[in-house]
Amino acid sequence: MPGEKQRAVKYYVGVDVGSASVRAALVDAFGTVVAHAEQPIQVWEPRPDHYEQSSADIWAACCSVTKEVVRGVDASQIRGLGFDGTCSLVVVDKQFQPLAVNWEGQSHRNVIMWMDHRAVSQVERINATQHRVLNYVGGAMSVEMQPPKLLWIKENLPESWEKVGYFFDLPDFLSWKATGVTARSLCTVVCKWTYTPDRGWDDSFWRMIGLEDLVKDKYEKIGNHVLSPGEAVGKGLTPEAAKDLGLPAGIAVAASLIDAHAGGLGVIGADVKGHNLPCENQPITSRVAMICGTSSCHMGVSETPIFVPGVWGPYFSAMVPGLWLNEGGQSATGKLIDHVVRGHVAFPELEAKAAASAHSIYTYLNGHLDLIKKSLPVGFLTVDLHVWPDFHGNRSPLTDLTLKGMVVGLTLSRGLDELALIYLATIQAIALGTRHILEAMQAAGHDITTLFLCGGLSKNPLFVQMHADITGKPVVLSKEVESVLVGAAILGACASGDFASIQEAMAKMGKIGRVVQPNHEHKRFYDKKYEVFLKLVEHQREYRSIMSS
């Protein structure tokens, strides 16, 4: 904690609500994380593809971690508060009390998570309309966006639908809890709800898909007051929220961001001078921020709108003010690696050996791969083992949530060596999926030279090196591993008025840590792996066509 000599230092609090936990950080004006805390939150999976949470549980965790990071800090030094969260749907009644989003009638479970895929038939009907708003989500809406979920609630839970007062994207729910103001962030409503800054809501879209009820009350339920990310909300922190969070009442609270966008904000604007990177002296549009955790998002910005088939956007000012955003994504990355590793028959042996060596299971696996590679580069171990990673459907660039995962090259062996190999092949498949997304963006007009990685998977050196080698692009890692929290704090810093703009705060608070260069000698091997990768989805579609004929 800061001592007497640092009394003039200004601090900002960033709060990040992820899929499985809530984290908070105390961040100074130079982007240094001074204190950090984390607390798990509950997830219910009442049936396949249904994922639910509790807004009360989430807020309680927000309060707990925030109190922890500001303990012992002079309250007068804390200047602003910023939130980010997953793009999950929060449902409350007219008195802001939770409403059930499930057939069991459990009202405390009032959040449909971002990764919930219950609204498949609804999104298919929405996409069949070919309405013009779909042009801004890559040509087809994802089941992970909010309109299909709203339609599912109306069709399946009429009692809840009748009682609804407000539908919030989770980041907007958090800023409401902090300020009592129901304003929405431009980030959430543009990226997940079909709002556009120039036209606002499109009445014809909501009527066409059967949600004309939302038009009747002038969109009060989904938001008719929209603020730019980082803009101050209302009169700041309410006395009640201040008590809950352990912060001074009245400090600035920022309009929020979706978690991936906060990660992008925390890394993409960093000063790269002196690192010999191709993006040096180039506009920020030559960079892609990749936020990799449970899932992965690929954020690229442009000065003019670029329409990329299968990639969300273009969204104006949804992350960096004044720039258009395209957002590629993979629905399961960290979750997929965990699924593959923990489901393997050799996992108990791995767990025991990792514990005995006082390493994480992934550090141990990386070391084990180094042992078995012999004279080969590690990546070449999968010459006969190939994975298609869409175990939870394809978000980008194929936008096909019916696609399934594939593994080609299995044997009867079931030891630790085989677990290490399938782990490596899965990481490579995720990196090949990133290459697929980047090629779609570049074909549409993006000029991408450098990747900026953050999130939990960026802590894994094998994951990072495979992304550099397979995409052929240098990977920049931020000085602060918790870039999403830095991004949330940047919002609070902007709301406080201490920075003139988001761009100024990004440049001063985003810092580069390490640069990982691709090994160009391995290019031929990974070009072949990529060729096989694309053949896998061709074969999947071919055999599905045969089976359905």
Side-chain angles (χ1 to χ4, degrees), residues 271-343:
D271 185 352
V272 299
K273 285 187 178 67
H275 290 272
N276 196 30
L277 287 164
C279 63
E280 187 175 343
N281 300 319
Q282 295 297 314
I284 194 173
T285 53
S286 65
R287 310 175 181 191
V288 159
M290 184 174 161
I291 299 84
C292 25
T294 305
S295 61
S296 292
C297 295
H298 308 73
M299 323 291 264
V301 292
S302 57
E303 293 180 0
T304 57
I306 298 176
F307 293 85
V308 186
V311 172
W312 297 343
Y315 302 133
F316 186 66
S317 289
M319 185 173 76
V320 181
L323 294 178
W324 294 84
L325 171 70
N326 283 109
E327 180 185 349
Q330 296 162 293
S331 292
T333 50
K335 187 175 179 67
L336 174 61
I337 295 168
D338 275 352
H339 172 79
V340 168
V341 170
R342 293 178 183 275

Side-chain angles (χ1 to χ4, degrees), residues 23 33 453-456 458-459 478-484 486:
R23 304 178 304 153
V33 174
L453 259 63
C454 68
S458 70
K459 301 173 190 177
S478 60
K479 183 178 179 182
E480 291 292 346
V481 175
E482 308 298 348
S483 295
V484 176
V486 172

Side-chain angles (χ1 to χ4, degrees), residues 328-406:
Q330 296 162 293
S331 292
T333 50
K335 187 175 179 67
L336 174 61
I337 295 168
D338 275 352
H339 172 79
V340 168
V341 170
R342 293 178 183 275
H344 195 279
V345 68
F347 178 70
E349 179 188 353
L350 166 65
E351 200 169 31
K353 288 185 173 178
S357 65
H359 288 123
S360 75
I361 57 173
Y362 295 116
T363 299
Y364 189 89
L365 278 174
N366 292 350
H368 192 76
L369 285 166
D370 282 334
L371 288 175
I372 64 175
K373 72 175 184 178
K374 298 178 182 173
S375 61
L376 286 171
V378 165
F380 289 23
L381 288 169
T382 59
V383 64
D384 291 321
L385 185 61
H386 309 281
V387 172
W388 179 263
D390 291 332
F391 286 48
H392 198 52
N394 183 283
R395 187 190 298 172
S396 303
L398 303 178
T399 58
D400 185 348
L401 58 87
T402 69
L403 285 175
K404 303 293 189 287
M406 301 172 71

Side-chain angles (χ1 to χ4, degrees), residues 213-229:
D213 334 30
L214 301 176
V215 181
K216 290 175 185 172
D217 66 0
K218 297 180 180 177
Y219 298 101
E220 184 181 3
K221 287 178 178 154
I222 61 173
N224 49 26
H225 180 204
V226 178
L227 299 174
S228 293

